[in-house]
Amino acid sequence: MPPVFWIGLGIAGFAFLVGVISGARSRTASVASGAVMGAYLGVMVAFPLLAIGLATS
């Protein structure tokens, strides 16, 4: 895999962790809903890098 794929995966993982932490600290949300939102937003933000990395492998 090219390095650009791993950069995109790192961005998605970071967004997932931010979602988990924010869901855990929230009074109205849960850890699960924070994890789902973090994973969704992370994949959407990192999608161009992930797609380029998969296309060039």
Side-chain angles (χ1 to χ4, degrees):
M1 288 286 169
V4 71
F5 175 80
W6 298 112
I7 294 169
L9 195 63
I11 292 170
F14 177 74
F16 174 76
L17 287 176
V18 168
V20 167
I21 292 169
S22 64
R25 293 183 51 86
S26 175
R27 293 184 192 194
T28 58
S30 66
V31 175
S33 65
V36 169
M37 285 306 299
Y40 175 75
L41 292 174
V43 169
M44 291 298 114
V45 167
F47 181 77
L49 296 174
L50 294 170
I52 291 169
L54 288 174
T56 59
S57 64

